[in-house]
Each structure stands twice: as C-alpha cells, then as structure tokens.
Amino acid sequence: QVQLVESGGGLVQAGGSLRLSCAVSRRTFGSYTMGWFRQAPGKEREFVAGISWSGGSTYYSDSVKGRFTISRDNVKSTVYLQMNSLKPEDTAVYYCAARPNLRVGVLNGEYDFWGQGTQVTVSS
C-alpha cells in the first residue's frame, strides 16, 4: 500500500505563491510517476501537472503552464508543486497521485494511489 500526504495549502492573495508537498511512504517511490490534480467546488477533478519517475519529463495543463512547476526528490520520496502568480480560479482542493508506470498519466483513472488533499484558496 502506498500512502501520500499533502501539505502546504492555505490562503493567499492573487499574485502570490505557495509550494505544495506530497510525502510518499514507499521505498520504491523512484519507480512511480506522480501527478497533481485539483477539484474546485462543483467541478470535476482535473489534471494539473505530472512528472516522470526520473523527473526528466514534466507535463502541465494549459491553465497552469508557465506559472506552476512540478518537481520531485527521490531521496526524500517527495513531490512538489510550486505555484506562482496564483489566481482566484486556482482555488481548489489539490491532490497528489501516484502510478507505478513509466508514462505520466493525465486522467484520474490512470492513477492508483491518492492523497487526502490540501485546500488552496486564492483571494482577489
């Protein structure tokens, strides 16, 4: 079983920054691709960013490209999401997810393990 614990959410003004962290309790973390998703009230959970097991490949949704950066530290078994230039429309619960596959997925159903989520609220 893989456990994922997110942290770093909070309340920030528009234009501000936050860094989310996701600690993974798995010694084979380095073999998992990781993703960040978010779900706003009344909306479906959507893909935000993904990163390959080595960190060599990253993917972003169009809505966050150029503002968010996903990274990982395989020694610390942690994946990060640096969020800059935040907008009110970024307000959502953010989830990290893991899949034991070499290819980064962009769909909810492609990930096997999920964290409990962390709230990000951006005020205007």
Side-chain angles (χ1 to χ4, degrees):
Q1 186 69 17
V2 179
Q3 292 184 327
L4 296 80
V5 180
E6 301 99 333
S7 61
L11 173 64
V12 64
Q13 288 187 333
S17 299
L18 282 174
R19 189 176 82 153
L20 306 183
S21 299
C22 175
V24 181
S25 63
R26 183 76 176 188
R27 294 181 65 183
T28 55
F29 171 76
S31 64
Y32 283 70
T33 61
M34 301 296 298
W36 285 98
F37 289 74
R38 68 185 181 187
Q39 187 168 21
K43 295 186 176 182
E44 294 187 351
R45 189 161 55 188
E46 64 175 0
F47 173 79
V48 174
I51 188 166
S52 62
W53 66 274
S54 66
S57 297
T58 56
Y59 302 85
Y60 299 93
S61 67
D62 289 342
S63 62
V64 307
K65 197 172 295 182
R67 300 188 297 122
F68 290 10
T69 302
I70 188 171
S71 61
R72 65 190 294 160
D73 185 331
N74 286 349
V75 173
K76 295 181 178 180
S77 297
T78 301
V79 62
Y80 305 97
L81 185 68
Q82 178 67 43
M83 305 185 295
N84 298 329
S85 303
L86 283 161
K87 305 175 181 179
E89 50 264 43
D90 294 318
T91 295
V93 177
Y94 283 71
Y95 300 88
C96 71
R99 69 191 298 251
N101 194 293
L102 295 179
R103 186 180 65 83
V104 177
V106 299
L107 301 176
N108 287 287
E110 295 181 295
Y111 287 81
D112 300 285
F113 305 101
W114 294 83
Q116 82 289 349
T118 185
Q119 176 70 47
V120 171
T121 303
V122 184
S123 63
S124 57

